[in-house]
Amino acid sequence: MDHIENDDQFHGLRVNKGIGEQPTVNPYLNSFKKYKRKTYSASEYVEGILKGNISILGQAVTLVESSKPEHQVIAQEVIEKCLPYTGNSIRIGITGVPGAGKSTSIDSFGMHILKGNNKLAVLAIDPSSEVTKGSILGDKTRMERLSTEANAFIRPSPSAGSLGGVARKTRETIILCEAAGFNRIIVETVGVGQSETAVHSMVDFFLLIQLAGTGDELQGIKRGIMEMADGIIINKADGTNIEKAKLAQSHFQNALHLFPLPDSGWSPKVLTYSGYYDIGVDEVLNMIDEYIDFVKKSGYFDHRRNSQSRYWMYETINEKLKNNFYNNLKVQQGLKVYEQDVLNSRLSSFAAASKVLDIYFKDL
Ligand code: GDP
């Protein structure tokens, strides 16, 4: 019924009809349901991936990253079927402390790489999520130019699980990307914990991004990382920073002489560049090409990939055994009891460990 004050006897503003309470659920929800993401069979995933369908590739990667057993079954089948189509890429690992310029550099390297008619996948291993449940690599807008390119596939780090688990998922994602026709793969990580070792074990070329410091650049760099690097690049060699960068270059070059020549037989180079201003980027990419030529001729390229495959076989066994062990209910109960015995000095650590292991093996 119309409001009484809307009668002609009243003058002035009119009173509008109110609206009833809105439903809390969108009444059109049902019509959206048909747009729900389709689930595919393993062969459909493989078919889509081999055709280079990015949306299906992305969904397959999500399955790889999932910890649900039913997802893992399909994911493993997809990986298995994609394997024959993989291996034809150059895999580059990039590491550097936060702020070294990894995103900026990858954006710039990536744009150069795409000019050569390549398809580039950028993956990340971010171990910070394990400890802090936050992310060092993922929380900002990254690689702005690259992220709009059709031939680039950018995927943030898988988040859940141990470093070993995250790294295995990334390695499996490399397989899917290669099957989808990506012939350049960049795996990025921050210089935290053991993540460099994980990345090193899945790439052909390992690149360390450094900044020119105050003259004692070499301080604070883990020796192991220098030894792993196939190339060291000093970023932000622009403006007033050029001289400092050149100085850092010679420091690093001298420091590298102190290490024995790596198994590859390649002497790691040190270059300066500016990812932001796009100076010296071609030289960095040429260095990588030169290395790949060198190790392909010497046979080291295949040798490294074979040892990586072996490494990942054992890593996967170790990880699955460990999960199986700690997920065992009897083991969990035993751990509680024997841990107390150790803390109260009733049992030695070794005796307690043996007892828990016995529980596990008897339960098999
Ligand atoms: P990330 O944390 O290693 O990924 O580093 P970012 O790529 O986010 O870069 C950190 C900061 O350094 C940003 O403010 C960039 O703009 C800046 N930066 C990156 N590359 C360069 C460079 O080549 N020259 C200069 N002057 N600044 C740079």
Side-chain angles (χ1 to χ4, degrees), residues 171 201 303-317:
R171 193 176 142 86
S201 61
H303 169 77
R304 182 158 163 172
R305 285 211 172 170
N306 283 338
S307 19
Q308 289 174 341
S309 299
R310 192 176 47 217
Y311 171 86
W312 281 103
M313 175 182 156
Y314 286 101
E315 273 297 299
T316 309
I317 292 175

Coordinates of all heavy atoms in Angstrom, one line a residue, residues 171 201 303-317:
R171 N 59.6 -29.4 -8.9 CA 60.3 -30.2 -9.9 C 59.2 -30.9 -10.8 O 59.4 -31.0 -12.1 CB 61.2 -31.3 -9.3 CG 62.1 -31.9 -10.3 CD 63.1 -32.9 -9.7 NE 63.3 -34.0 -10.6 CZ 64.2 -34.1 -11.5 NH1 64.9 -33.1 -11.8 NH2 64.3 -35.1 -12.3
S201 N 69.5 -28.4 -7.4 CA 69.3 -29.8 -7.8 C 68.3 -30.0 -8.9 O 67.9 -31.1 -9.2 CB 69.0 -30.6 -6.6 OG 67.8 -30.2 -6.0
H303 N 74.9 -35.5 -17.8 CA 75.4 -36.0 -16.6 C 74.7 -35.4 -15.4 O 74.2 -36.1 -14.5 CB 76.9 -35.9 -16.5 CG 77.5 -36.2 -15.2 ND1 77.7 -37.5 -14.8 CD2 77.9 -35.4 -14.2 CE1 78.2 -37.5 -13.5 NE2 78.3 -36.2 -13.2
R304 N 74.6 -34.0 -15.4 CA 74.0 -33.3 -14.3 C 72.5 -33.7 -14.2 O 72.0 -33.9 -13.1 CB 74.2 -31.8 -14.6 CG 73.6 -30.9 -13.5 CD 74.3 -29.6 -13.5 NE 73.6 -28.5 -12.7 CZ 74.2 -27.3 -12.5 NH1 75.4 -27.0 -13.0 NH2 73.5 -26.4 -11.9
R305 N 71.8 -33.7 -15.4 CA 70.4 -34.1 -15.3 C 70.2 -35.5 -14.8 O 69.2 -35.7 -14.0 CB 69.8 -33.9 -16.7 CG 69.6 -32.4 -17.0 CD 68.4 -32.2 -17.9 NE 68.1 -30.8 -18.0 CZ 67.2 -30.4 -18.9 NH1 66.6 -31.2 -19.7 NH2 67.0 -29.1 -19.0
N306 N 71.1 -36.4 -15.2 CA 70.9 -37.8 -14.7 C 71.1 -37.8 -13.2 O 70.4 -38.5 -12.5 CB 71.9 -38.7 -15.3 CG 71.4 -39.1 -16.7 OD1 70.2 -39.0 -17.0 ND2 72.4 -39.5 -17.6
S307 N 72.1 -37.1 -12.7 CA 72.3 -37.2 -11.2 C 71.2 -36.5 -10.5 O 70.8 -36.9 -9.4 CB 73.7 -36.7 -10.8 OG 74.3 -35.9 -11.7
Q308 N 70.6 -35.5 -11.1 CA 69.5 -34.8 -10.5 C 68.3 -35.8 -10.4 O 67.6 -35.9 -9.4 CB 69.1 -33.6 -11.3 CG 70.1 -32.5 -11.1 CD 69.8 -31.3 -12.0 OE1 69.0 -31.4 -12.9 NE2 70.4 -30.1 -11.6
S309 N 68.1 -36.6 -11.5 CA 66.9 -37.5 -11.5 C 67.2 -38.5 -10.4 O 66.2 -38.9 -9.6 CB 66.8 -38.3 -12.8 OG 66.6 -37.4 -13.8
R310 N 68.4 -39.0 -10.2 CA 68.7 -40.0 -9.2 C 68.4 -39.3 -7.8 O 67.8 -39.9 -6.9 CB 70.1 -40.5 -9.3 CG 70.4 -41.7 -8.5 CD 71.8 -42.2 -8.7 NE 72.8 -41.1 -8.6 CZ 73.8 -41.1 -9.4 NH1 74.1 -42.0 -10.3 NH2 74.7 -40.1 -9.3
Y311 N 68.9 -38.1 -7.6 CA 68.8 -37.4 -6.4 C 67.3 -37.3 -6.0 O 66.9 -37.6 -4.9 CB 69.4 -36.0 -6.5 CG 69.1 -35.1 -5.4 CD1 70.0 -35.1 -4.3 CD2 68.1 -34.2 -5.4 CE1 69.7 -34.2 -3.2 CE2 67.8 -33.3 -4.4 CZ 68.7 -33.3 -3.3 OH 68.4 -32.5 -2.2
W312 N 66.5 -36.9 -7.0 CA 65.1 -36.8 -6.7 C 64.3 -38.1 -6.4 O 63.4 -38.1 -5.7 CB 64.4 -35.9 -7.8 CG 64.7 -34.5 -7.5 CD1 65.6 -33.8 -8.2 CD2 64.2 -33.7 -6.5 NE1 65.7 -32.5 -7.6 CE2 64.9 -32.5 -6.6 CE3 63.3 -33.9 -5.5 CZ2 64.7 -31.4 -5.7 CZ3 63.1 -32.8 -4.6 CH2 63.7 -31.6 -4.7
M313 N 64.8 -39.1 -7.0 CA 64.3 -40.4 -6.7 C 64.5 -40.7 -5.2 O 63.5 -41.0 -4.5 CB 65.0 -41.5 -7.5 CG 64.6 -42.9 -7.2 SD 65.5 -44.1 -8.2 CE 65.3 -45.5 -7.1
Y314 N 65.7 -40.5 -4.7 CA 65.9 -40.8 -3.3 C 65.3 -39.8 -2.4 O 64.8 -40.1 -1.3 CB 67.4 -40.9 -3.0 CG 68.0 -42.2 -3.6 CD1 68.7 -42.3 -4.8 CD2 67.8 -43.4 -2.9 CE1 69.1 -43.5 -5.3 CE2 68.2 -44.6 -3.4 CZ 68.9 -44.6 -4.6 OH 69.3 -45.8 -5.1
E315 N 65.2 -38.5 -2.8 CA 64.6 -37.5 -2.0 C 63.1 -37.9 -1.8 O 62.5 -37.7 -0.8 CB 64.6 -36.2 -2.7 CG 65.9 -35.4 -2.4 CD 65.9 -35.0 -0.9 OE1 65.0 -34.3 -0.4 OE2 66.9 -35.5 -0.3
T316 N 62.5 -38.3 -2.9 CA 61.0 -38.7 -2.9 C 60.8 -39.9 -1.9 O 59.9 -39.9 -1.1 CB 60.5 -39.0 -4.3 OG1 60.9 -37.9 -5.1 CG2 59.0 -39.1 -4.3
I317 N 61.7 -40.9 -2.1 CA 61.6 -42.0 -1.2 C 61.7 -41.5 0.3 O 60.9 -41.9 1.1 CB 62.7 -43.1 -1.5 CG1 62.4 -43.7 -2.8 CG2 62.8 -44.1 -0.4 CD1 63.5 -44.7 -3.3

